[in-house]
Amino acid sequence: MLITIPDVLTPEQVAHARRLFDAAEWVDGKGTTGYQAAKTKDNMQLPDSSPAAREVGDMILQALGKGPLFMAAALPLRILPPMFNRYSGGQSFGTHVDNAIRQVPGTPLRIRTDLSATLFFAAPDEYDGGELCVEDLYGIKKVKLPPGHMVLYPSTSLHHVTPVTRGTRLCSFFWLQSMIRDNGQRSLLFDLDVSIQRLGGQLAGNPVAEQTAVQLTGVYHNLLRQWAEM
Ligand code: NI
């Protein structure tokens, strides 16, 4: 399941981040990937130690912590510090699956990558190509979002980034371990959560519906209790 999360960052935050990116030092992206993926990876990244990466990364994590849609969709347990990449002049990243386990930089902590996230910083009309193409059960989904918007997709998916033939594509990407490892179970919980929220807006003065909503909320939490890993 692919989920788009709009307006994670405000236009002001995006503009601030882009000023930091312009002044930052970018390095070859091959450094942070496995041997096989490195063969098809052609982009630039901010190093982990980059002050710009840290500042904008914190900004993203703080924004996500306040976002109910992200929390409901991801049910995050641990989130890796956001990373940043830049594609221009025909650069691309061929089809690959992200590494299953990643170490949190500077710590002994390892996380299982259940969900991958890409947050866009450049407007779609600023560059040609640069679509994130994610293969799921129903085919290939092409994603190219307005600045400040983010997509979440299962890290089990094969994906690639098409060549950027004009302009520059700027994105943040990161991974998270979810409390719910299984994509199907996580999708069910998300659907149930969204349905309960929708129902909640329609209940005024209807005691049977109110009782039903309480019961469904109980089902949600009891499923979460059964399935969650911490
Ligand atoms: Ni990837």
Side-chain angles (χ1 to χ4, degrees):
M1 183 173 57
L2 239 85
I3 298 170
T4 298
I5 302 177
D7 303 315
V8 172
L9 298 180
T10 64
E12 292 74 27
Q13 288 175 311
V14 169
H16 177 64
R18 289 191 59 167
R19 281 192 295 273
L20 295 175
F21 296 157
D22 284 345
E25 211 160 300
W26 295 76
V27 298
D28 190 336
K30 286 192 200 304
T32 56
T33 202
Y35 164 74
Q36 195 184 29
K39 282 190 288 189
T40 64
K41 183 179 187 183
D42 180 18
N43 66 9
M44 302 298 280
Q45 287 182 192
L46 290 181
D48 292 339
S49 58
S50 155
R54 291 199 181 167
E55 182 178 339
V56 183
D58 288 346
M59 186 198 286
I60 293 170
L61 293 180
Q62 219 167 29
L64 289 175
K66 293 188 220 145
L69 180 57
F70 169 74
M71 298 307 270
L75 294 167
L77 177 62
R78 296 193 189 102
I79 308 179
L80 275 157
M83 296 168 71
F84 298 86
N85 59 22
R86 190 179 79 182
Y87 294 77
S88 58
Q91 288 181 312
S92 65
F93 195 164
T95 303
H96 65 281
V97 168
D98 296 336
N99 288 351
I101 308 290
R102 295 194 78 98
Q103 190 150 357
V104 182
T107 77
L109 192 64
R110 281 176 296 183
I111 81 156
R112 186 186 63 230
T113 56
D114 294 323
L115 284 169
S116 303
T118 298
L119 194 156
F120 291 73
F121 284 92
D125 61 4
E126 286 183 77
Y127 58 102
D128 290 333
E131 282 99 359
L132 169 67
C133 301
V134 181
E135 296 183 24
D136 71 8
L137 287 175
Y138 309 107
I140 296 186
K141 302 264 162 51
K142 290 189 174 185
V143 186
K144 188 169 174 175
L145 298 174
H149 294 216
M150 189 177 97
V151 64
L152 263 183
Y153 59 97
S155 303
T156 48
S157 321
L158 283 167
H159 57 279
H160 64 274
V161 177
T162 62
V164 174
T165 55
R166 176 187 66 87
T168 300
R169 176 194 196 264
L170 281 165
C171 285
S172 174
F173 63 102
F174 57 94
W175 297 273
L176 65 91
Q177 181 168 339
S178 175
M179 291 184 282
I180 306 297
R181 173 187 201 145
D182 183 82
N183 291 321
Q185 290 176 337
R186 199 182 321 104
S187 290
L188 284 174
L189 285 171
F190 180 58
D191 287 346
L192 185 55
D193 192 354
V194 169
S195 307
I196 293 168
Q197 301 301 329
R198 203 176 294 146
L199 194 61
Q202 315 283 324
L203 295 183
N206 185 335
V208 176
E210 276 177 26
Q211 216 176 347
T212 306
V214 170
Q215 204 164 11
L216 287 174
T217 303
V219 171
Y220 175 85
H221 283 286
N222 290 332
L223 285 173
L224 189 56
R225 215 184 312 277
Q226 284 204 16
W227 292 340
E229 298 167 16
M230 325 272 279

